[in-house]
Amino acid sequence: PYHTPKGLPGQSTMYRLDKGLELYHAGYADYVIAFGGIEMGPSKKTNGQFIKDRLLQYGVPENKIVLIDQLRGPQNYYHNLIDMLDVYKNRFDFEKAIFVTSIDQSYRIKKSLLKQLSNPTVVTSEPYALYSDWGRRLHHFRVLANEVFVGIPEFYLRGRF
């Protein structure tokens, strides 16, 4: 169901999409922010654009979706996140928001949000414990190891939290 003619987003994006839809349809949120500037393949369609398209297909009205993908590339999500808080602070009460993120970036997202919010709610979307095969579990170990040994130290060195 997630296939597009231009390619597929990462598994993490699909989990975030599912969790965001689940929370929206359960009434936990009035809006869904389609967030992500990483471009998928030659189409240059971003994760955020993909998420928005799927939200529309799954019945979320367009006026309830905010697309934030202005900065492109895998290293720019921090800037997109901070820009989102600045640009939309008068439109949304981000203190009441639920931020759905991937398991490997949840710590950095939470620490980054704490610079501007008093107690952000960050939800991790991957059902890691439900994976039956060890290949997928080992993939998450690699991703988490990268986050612990590369991503988090980089953010500390750059003074981002």
Side-chain angles (χ1 to χ4, degrees):
Y2 297 100
H3 182 267
T4 67
K6 308 299 183 202
L8 293 170
Q11 190 72 30
S12 175
T13 298
M14 292 190 272
Y15 285 136
R16 288 184 352 220
L17 172 61
D18 287 346
K19 182 56 84 174
L21 274 168
E22 175 188 329
L23 293 169
Y24 176 81
H25 286 304
Y28 288 104
D30 293 330
Y31 294 89
V32 179
I33 297 174
F35 182 75
I38 296 174
E39 296 171 344
M40 299 183 305
S43 72
K44 305 294 186 199
K45 182 179 240 184
T46 64
N47 280 348
Q49 291 163 333
F50 176 87
I51 291 170
K52 180 180 178 181
D53 292 348
R54 288 300 184 249
L55 290 169
L56 290 168
Q57 288 178 349
Y58 290 123
V60 178
E62 188 162 12
N63 66 343
K64 297 294 183 178
I65 302 170
V66 178
L67 174 64
I68 299 182
D69 68 345
Q70 292 80 8
L71 294 174
R72 306 299 171 102
Q75 299 301 318
N76 290 319
Y77 78 88
Y78 168 81
H79 297 292
N80 277 334
L81 180 66
I82 299 306
D83 288 348
M84 174 188 69
L85 295 177
D86 290 339
V87 170
Y88 292 98
K89 65 184 170 194
N90 294 325
R91 182 172 171 192
F92 299 112
D93 181 359
F94 287 109
E95 295 289 350
K96 296 179 182 176
I98 300 171
F99 296 87
V100 180
T101 185
S102 60
I103 192 169
D104 57 306
Q105 295 179 0
S106 59
Y107 179 82
R108 277 197 282 172
I109 296 287
K110 178 85 172 196
K111 290 289 280 184
S112 298
L113 290 171
L114 281 169
K115 288 185 92 169
Q116 297 192 20
L117 304 174
S118 63
N119 190 23
T121 302
V122 177
V123 175
T124 301
S125 57
E126 283 92 347
Y128 170 79
L130 303 179
Y131 290 161
S132 58
D133 65 281
W134 281 96
R136 291 180 77 188
R137 288 183 180 190
L138 289 173
H139 169 74
H140 273 288
F141 176 76
R142 181 191 62 78
V143 169
L144 285 172
N146 182 63
E147 181 70 4
V148 169
F149 295 111
V150 178
I152 292 171
E154 176 187 348
F155 266 47
Y156 273 112
L157 290 172
R158 292 181 182 210
R160 292 185 174 163
F161 48 70

